[in-house]
Amino acid sequence: MSVLKLGIPKGSLQEATVDLLARAGWKVTLSSRSYVPSIDDPEMECLLVRAQEMARYVESGALDAGITGHDWVVETRAEVVELAELIYAKQRLARVKWVLAVPQDSPIHEPRDLEGKVIATEVVGITKEYLAARGVNARVEFSWGATEVKVPQLADAIVEVTETGSSLRANRLRILDTVLESATVFIMNRKAFEDAAKREKAENLVLMLQGAISAATRVGLMLNVRREHLAEMLSVLPALKNPTISALSDSDWVAVNTIIEEAVVRQILPKLKAAKAQGIVEYPLNKIVL
Amino acid sequence: MSVLKLGIPKGSLQEATVDLLARAGWKVTLSSRSYVPSIDDPEMECLLVRAQEMARYVESGALDAGITGHDWVVETRAEVVELAELIYAKQRLARVKWVLAVPQDSPIHEPRDLEGKVIATEVVGITKEYLAARGVNARVEFSWGATEVKVPQLADAIVEVTETGSSLRANRLRILDTVLESATVFIMNRKAFEDAAKREKAENLVLMLQGAISAATRVGLMLNVRREHLAEMLSVLPALKNPTISALSDSDWVAVNTIIEEAVVRQILPKLKAAKAQGIVEYPLNKIVL
Amino acid sequence: MSVLKLGIPKGSLQEATVDLLARAGWKVTLSSRSYVPSIDDPEMECLLVRAQEMARYVESGALDAGITGHDWVVETRAEVVELAELIYAKQRLARVKWVLAVPQDSPIHEPRDLEGKVIATEVVGITKEYLAARGVNARVEFSWGATEVKVPQLADAIVEVTETGSSLRANRLRILDTVLESATVFIMNRKAFEDAAKREKAENLVLMLQGAISAATRVGLMLNVRREHLAEMLSVLPALKNPTISALSDSDWVAVNTIIEEAVVRQILPKLKAAKAQGIVEYPLNKIVL
Amino acid sequence: MSVLKLGIPKGSLQEATVDLLARAGWKVTLSSRSYVPSIDDPEMECLLVRAQEMARYVESGALDAGITGHDWVVETRAEVVELAELIYAKQRLARVKWVLAVPQDSPIHEPRDLEGKVIATEVVGITKEYLAARGVNARVEFSWGATEVKVPQLADAIVEVTETGSSLRANRLRILDTVLESATVFIMNRKAFEDAAKREKAENLVLMLQGAISAATRVGLMLNVRREHLAEMLSVLPALKNPTISALSDSDWVAVNTIIEEAVVRQILPKLKAAKAQGIVEYPLNKIVL
Amino acid sequence: MSVLKLGIPKGSLQEATVDLLARAGWKVTLSSRSYVPSIDDPEMECLLVRAQEMARYVESGALDAGITGHDWVVETRAEVVELAELIYAKQRLARVKWVLAVPQDSPIHEPRDLEGKVIATEVVGITKEYLAARGVNARVEFSWGATEVKVPQLADAIVEVTETGSSLRANRLRILDTVLESATVFIMNRKAFEDAAKREKAENLVLMLQGAISAATRVGLMLNVRREHLAEMLSVLPALKNPTISALSDSDWVAVNTIIEEAVVRQILPKLKAAKAQGIVEYPLNKIVL
Amino acid sequence: MSVLKLGIPKGSLQEATVDLLARAGWKVTLSSRSYVPSIDDPEMECLLVRAQEMARYVESGALDAGITGHDWVVETRAEVVELAELIYAKQRLARVKWVLAVPQDSPIHEPRDLEGKVIATEVVGITKEYLAARGVNARVEFSWGATEVKVPQLADAIVEVTETGSSLRANRLRILDTVLESATVFIMNRKAFEDAAKREKAENLVLMLQGAISAATRVGLMLNVRREHLAEMLSVLPALKNPTISALSDSDWVAVNTIIEEAVVRQILPKLKAAKAQGIVEYPLNKIVL
């Protein structure tokens, strides 16, 4: 039996990833006594690995696959296959940006003002490449953390990751430029990717992860409507997927069952009611594969 | 774009209200750094305001709408529109009573025995009105909290809020009378109520809140039954709403899908089984608009 | 009105039992001030009783029914009716084993090596019976807890309960034999069992408990499929229950709704997609009575 | 036996007060089941009372004595005896100020700019008196809390309590004026004060409370010094109290034992060493009565 | 090197015992991974053992010494040496009583009313002996815990341990009689007691434990007084130990240093001040060996 | 006024350092809103800086002084002045070792076996230097944390920090060699060190820190002894410092006051008692400057 060695990102993404795997159908059990989580699938083995080091170890073959940020694939220049993005829209696993930022009252206003300055960042490689592409010479120092409080005392600028920019604003920083956009990615080792069994396993895993991600922001909607009002009612529904329309015992009525974005329910539901839908019921979903 | 300024009650109702808004479709984010919560709807702004002060600020127009107790509308004599009651049946946002209570062994047995006594309460206005209507003269003192422990050392009687009376009994108090019944209400400023856009926004918000409240105590029930047993089976179902009956491929059978109170499932389900229903499945709901 | 006096196991099973009752439809409220929980059913009364003592008090009639381990029924030799097993598959309320265990490097390799030795256990009766049946004479000492750390300093062997054996392995113990298998059981007093009203109440309670247990490891699956692919698609579904197949407005398509084990979804779902199922949606369940 | 009924302030001062009483020698035990704390002294009884209501109940004689803020004595215009201030210098029980504050960018710059404006405050009486003394007419509204976030949306200015002003600055408020300075005070009922037994009990309690307060910010210092260097060494010591100088067996040396402010140790100790003190030892104290 | 094997009571006494050992000078480190605590003394080894089982294992020689309750020595009829009582006066390690108790409204009023009744208790042996001495026949059932809530539903009376009786009163129980008084004791195996090295080690340990216990309720008091007031001042001091009186440089004054019960400081200190003591300082102690 | 800019190590040393500063006499207040702690000394400013980066920023002059590990001074090759070691003996701030370790069953037995292997470590520079000195070529990879679980899957050996080796043993690692010993050090920028005011400030700070460290493991001991037993009694006391011997009123007796290591009290105290010391009292200390 082929076994897929999967790296799970240790640290800030860990809990969200274990939770996502659970919703996808795999139970990962972390033990305080060991750093090797157990997983309830004989075809898989897990290892907790820092997101920063994931691509390096997937590249070397120590792992067949891993979940990490695209940014760290770029920073470590690892040669791996990015199988899929995993955009989990609620707060975690989401898209992030690495931005170049300076204090609000800094005299630095564009990248070239950084000439001869000190920049603190966790992504030294990405930052150097960014500067090189713009012909700027600056000293890039590796930062062990809390980078956003290093300016202006310890550095002139920083390159730091942010989701919404709120932490940067709270530290009174001004964003000059976006250095790199990144998202959580599912990566594979090149050799493992060419192994049919491992590739199928990985693709099924990604299918289930995306099914769970997809369900997390969507809900099911059931309602009844008279046939004569069906068309009007359907015109209100967003076109995510054709709704399932089924016959009822009372042939004047049909039942409609569909999937919509949770975020638009508050707009759609009053309109459905206005369009004479009855018995409108919203219910939660676990997974969606359209 | 019209923006609805909504007051969210700070304190004991806060968490339940934010949770209810989330289930209704609005994500309110409280920050430890600020008392102005953010909400994921550009057509709304929120402010955390004490339930006691809500009606006052809705009346003055500082807020367009707010969620508070009917009791505080009465106490502050604020001129506002009560758009809807929000009776959330599980422990919070529920109906409450302000009761007149005395120690179990007090010589006071009816309101007129209060003549010349000291009454401690948070609702000084309501209490004075209650006494005036009965022609009783008593000193009503404002209580800053922990009112139920003030008798008999610090006061002769209290007017205090209670849901089930258990806290009063635990403090060995005897209830003499109900002074006011109250429930959580959604209130609007009179002017905002006449503004068509704000009114529609508020009414849609109330529709969604009530949809979420309604779903919290109900569940969906699906089952299959042979056509010949359908009538018997239906006689067992409570008449909350007509069930949806749909044809199955096997024309001897029909599928029944309905919504019932969660609290009666334990009584209905054994009867449904006795009435030859098969494949009975209960599933959770997010919102119901019948 | 007949009232069923139910014993709820205090201690390690307590939270899982209260949670299970909640999912079955009964809300049990524990109070820090009292050991008599309240229950929202006038036909029932609850008492928190140690699992070890439950069978004794059900036998004596102090309780009509109780939830406890089969092991303690055996240990206390109580004459009670075991109405049903309650196998709750996720970690708690599950099957357990009482095993005879010794330190990994112990010279004891089979039960007869225990001749003249000291055995520590919480189940003195069961252990003595086990030894008697094998003609072994050993001193069996009652252990107040932490039995697995008593060897080798304080005892030569132990008889201890285990679900997966992992705690025993962590303490470097070797399992010699299984002394008794046990599961959580619903027991009734013999007289109460012959009382029609109490028996029906208990049986309905068990029906609902098992409905909730059954739902905890299963999910609902809805999908649409063209009639021409229906047979192929159905061949992929496990045969837990016949799926509900219903007609859609578009007569080329049918909707399929079924219940499957959550644990197999990750295997089935890719196959369903391969078999041309569309709009596959997995949703959570509260109760199942097939 | 005479019994002193003492009010302990419930809420923000409660823990610090109970802790101070413990250090003074009285163990107050709060029970979650009752609001009447027990105290290990048959000559005293305690009652938890809100600081805001304390003076009112000490005035009425429901309590003989109480610990509260001077501000609430003023606000309630209670006729009581202020026996002593209890200035506990570390963060709690300390001096506070009620200040008049407006948003940083408010057009209000001095009290008279408040004419016709709305002021929110917990101390309505004090605020009205302040305004009256300055001939300003403004609407003073009672605030149930979170007063500092009421401007500018809900009020034009506030009168709020502050220790260091940091919370006000964090809310971007500008302080216009100090309305009242306040400190924690020990108050007595006038009649109780004239009762010799109660007065002595209260004075001894205050002596012990001040002994504990005094010790909280001071330490003991012991050192040895040659007689010839004694004068130089003593010139370095602050003159809080004459140090105890005792003879040693070796008559060339003396031992010095003294009490100094903990806050100055870091300045004094290097100087003592420079002045040839030896064996310098700082030790903690429980109580000081000089 | 001789090693003393010491049993530390697991459970309710554990934390207080480890804390007491720390104050006595031994650091015991509990590991979540192991039940064998480490101790920073090569001449000792520790084992966590239930108080109920301690005497049994000290008797058998599995342990050389242990800390447990006198009650469990009696209950298990273990032949051990009780080296010392360890009366730790603050809440734990204190004296306790096993009492016979019934519900407040029980018809049982004296031991002989128990004839033919059911008694639940953790100390079956002690209870049987108590009944036998009074010629009463009753069924004594072993209780696994929560004994005080077993009456009246599950038993007619209980024998339960109590410090202050408050838990019994809270459960509305009436105490009929004291069955056994008990305190924490330091016990030794008879053979180990005859081993000079182990005995000396144990005695030194007890000396230090008692030194720490003694210091926990006492404080040091230093003061200065004029020689002429010395006698008067000394007459106020309790006679726990002769105070140390030392000469000061200023020969008119003497310094007094003494140890007194913390509980009497609040009475003594005002009297000392009245007796013209100056610079009174109370300071904390770690250990006292008078 | 000269201001000393002090770096406080963020992370694992942070709490211990803030606590040590408090005991030394400086109150550092961390705010969740800011990374610049406040300190109650106008002659100092603080900044939270990672231990790994401290030496770099002290070298550059961004900080005048800092507390960090000697290891990071070496790793970053920073040119700074190491003013003092701060060996805080209880668990933190203590001496540590960076060790070369491999799995217990690894074929690697000495440094030269590492030829061509992969070593994971946080101290890449120190490790490379260590290998170079031994002529070994190996790939040294920067590890972002959890280094000890990287072998054998992700690396062949590690260089990791350890205090007692217990974490390494728990991960079944074998220590091959010590690469570097390290302790917490107080470092200064070279220029700041030559500034008389800053240097004096730093030296006084170090004096106080060491005074607090010194007191943490020592206690005061007071006792009385008859003159005739003084010599014998003194022979038992360890020679840390000459004890202070003072005359008592009763000239047959002397009082002895001394400082000893807390760890030896349990050995010394029984001997002192045997040597006829009386009224032996151990008391806690805050600071010691001998």
Side-chain angles (χ1 to χ4, degrees), chain D residues 24-26 33 40-41 204 207-208 241 244-247 257 259 283-290, chain E residues 91 170 219 222 224 246-250 255 262 265-266 269-270 273 278-284:
Chain D
W26 282 268
R33 298 193 189 183
D40 64 344
D41 184 343
N204 283 348
L207 180 73
M208 298 304 283
K241 174 212 144 188
T244 300
I245 299 164
S246 50
N257 195 349
I259 305 301
Y283 59 96
L285 307 174
N286 290 344
K287 294 192 192 76
I288 303 173
V289 178
L290 297 186
Chain E
Q91 247 180 339
V219 291
M222 294 190 292
N224 295 345
S246 49
L248 295 184
S249 289
D250 178 341
E262 190 177 12
V265 171
R266 69 193 194 200
L269 220 139
K273 203 187 169 197
Q278 293 205 356
I280 309 170
V281 170
E282 179 198 316
Y283 59 97

Side-chain angles (χ1 to χ4, degrees), chain C residues 99-290:
Chain C
V99 297
L100 176 62
V102 293
Q104 272 170 10
D105 54 4
S106 164
I108 298 169
H109 286 94
E110 38 185 318
R112 65 181 168 187
D113 297 343
L114 289 167
E115 189 70 29
K117 303 295 186 185
V118 174
I119 306 173
T121 185
E122 235 188 319
V123 287
V124 170
I126 289 169
T127 303
K128 283 185 172 167
E129 213 160 291
Y130 171 88
L131 293 171
R134 280 154 189 78
V136 177
N137 289 301
R139 184 165 152 213
V140 182
E141 285 189 348
F142 177 67
S143 169
W144 295 75
T147 312
E148 72 274 22
V149 297
K150 290 213 165 115
V151 282
Q153 291 107 315
L154 307 177
D156 301 298
I158 63 170
V159 171
E160 181 56 328
V161 72
T162 184
E163 271 185 68
T164 62
S166 70
S167 168
L168 295 178
R169 280 189 298 274
N171 282 293
R172 302 187 175 249
L173 297 178
R174 175 160 40 88
I175 295 176
L176 284 195
D177 197 4
T178 295
V179 172
L180 183 77
E181 291 209 4
S182 180
T184 304
V185 286
F186 187 100
I187 58 175
M188 275 196 88
N189 173 273
R190 286 189 179 280
K191 231 181 212 159
F193 183 68
E194 279 154 26
D195 174 322
K198 289 191 174 176
R199 183 173 178 171
E200 191 195 343
K201 185 74 192 179
E203 284 175 344
N204 284 348
L205 176 55
V206 166
L207 181 73
M208 298 303 284
L209 291 169
Q210 288 181 324
I213 289 170
S214 185
T217 56
R218 294 187 176 87
V219 290
L221 212 61
M222 294 190 292
L223 55 85
N224 294 345
V225 70
R226 295 186 77 87
R227 281 190 192 277
E228 62 202 74
H229 301 131
L230 179 61
E232 182 194 350
M233 199 279 303
L234 289 178
S235 71
V236 170
L237 278 183
L240 180 65
K241 173 212 147 190
N242 282 335
T244 299
I245 299 165
S246 50
L248 295 184
S249 289
D250 179 341
S251 60
D252 289 347
W253 290 78
V254 291
V256 178
N257 195 347
T258 193
I259 305 302
I260 67 172
E261 291 287 335
E262 190 176 11
V264 301
V265 170
R266 70 193 194 202
Q267 289 156 22
I268 302 299
L269 220 140
K271 291 180 191 166
L272 290 175
K273 202 188 170 197
K276 303 208 171 60
Q278 294 205 354
I280 308 171
V281 170
E282 180 198 316
Y283 60 96
L285 306 176
N286 289 345
K287 295 194 192 77
I288 303 175
V289 178
L290 296 187

Side-chain angles (χ1 to χ4, degrees), chain F residues 87-227:
Chain F
I87 306 292
Y88 180 52
K90 281 189 193 160
Q91 247 182 337
R92 293 182 161 277
L93 295 176
R95 265 184 198 292
V96 296
K97 288 179 187 176
W98 286 89
V99 296
L100 176 62
V102 294
Q104 271 170 11
D105 54 4
S106 163
I108 299 169
H109 287 94
E110 42 184 315
R112 65 181 167 184
D113 297 342
L114 289 168
E115 187 71 30
K117 302 294 185 187
V118 174
I119 305 173
T121 185
E122 235 188 321
V123 287
V124 171
I126 289 168
T127 303
K128 284 185 171 165
E129 213 159 293
Y130 171 87
L131 294 170
R134 280 154 189 79
V136 177
N137 289 300
R139 185 165 151 213
V140 182
E141 285 189 349
F142 177 66
S143 169
W144 294 75
T147 311
E148 70 274 23
V149 298
K150 291 215 166 116
V151 282
Q153 289 107 316
L154 307 179
D156 300 299
I158 63 171
V159 171
E160 180 56 328
V161 73
T162 184
E163 270 184 69
T164 63
S166 69
S167 167
L168 295 178
R169 279 189 299 274
N171 282 293
R172 302 185 175 249
L173 298 179
R174 176 160 40 87
I175 295 176
L176 284 194
D177 198 4
T178 294
V179 173
L180 182 77
E181 292 209 5
S182 180
T184 304
V185 287
F186 188 101
I187 58 177
M188 276 197 85
N189 172 273
R190 287 189 177 279
K191 230 181 211 159
F193 183 69
E194 281 155 26
D195 173 320
K198 290 189 176 180
R199 182 174 180 168
E200 190 194 345
K201 184 75 191 176
E203 284 174 345
N204 283 348
L205 175 56
V206 166
L207 180 73
M208 298 303 284
L209 291 169
Q210 287 180 327
I213 289 170
S214 184
T217 56
R218 293 185 178 87
V219 291
L221 213 60
M222 294 191 291
L223 56 87
N224 294 345
V225 70
R226 295 186 78 87
R227 282 189 192 277

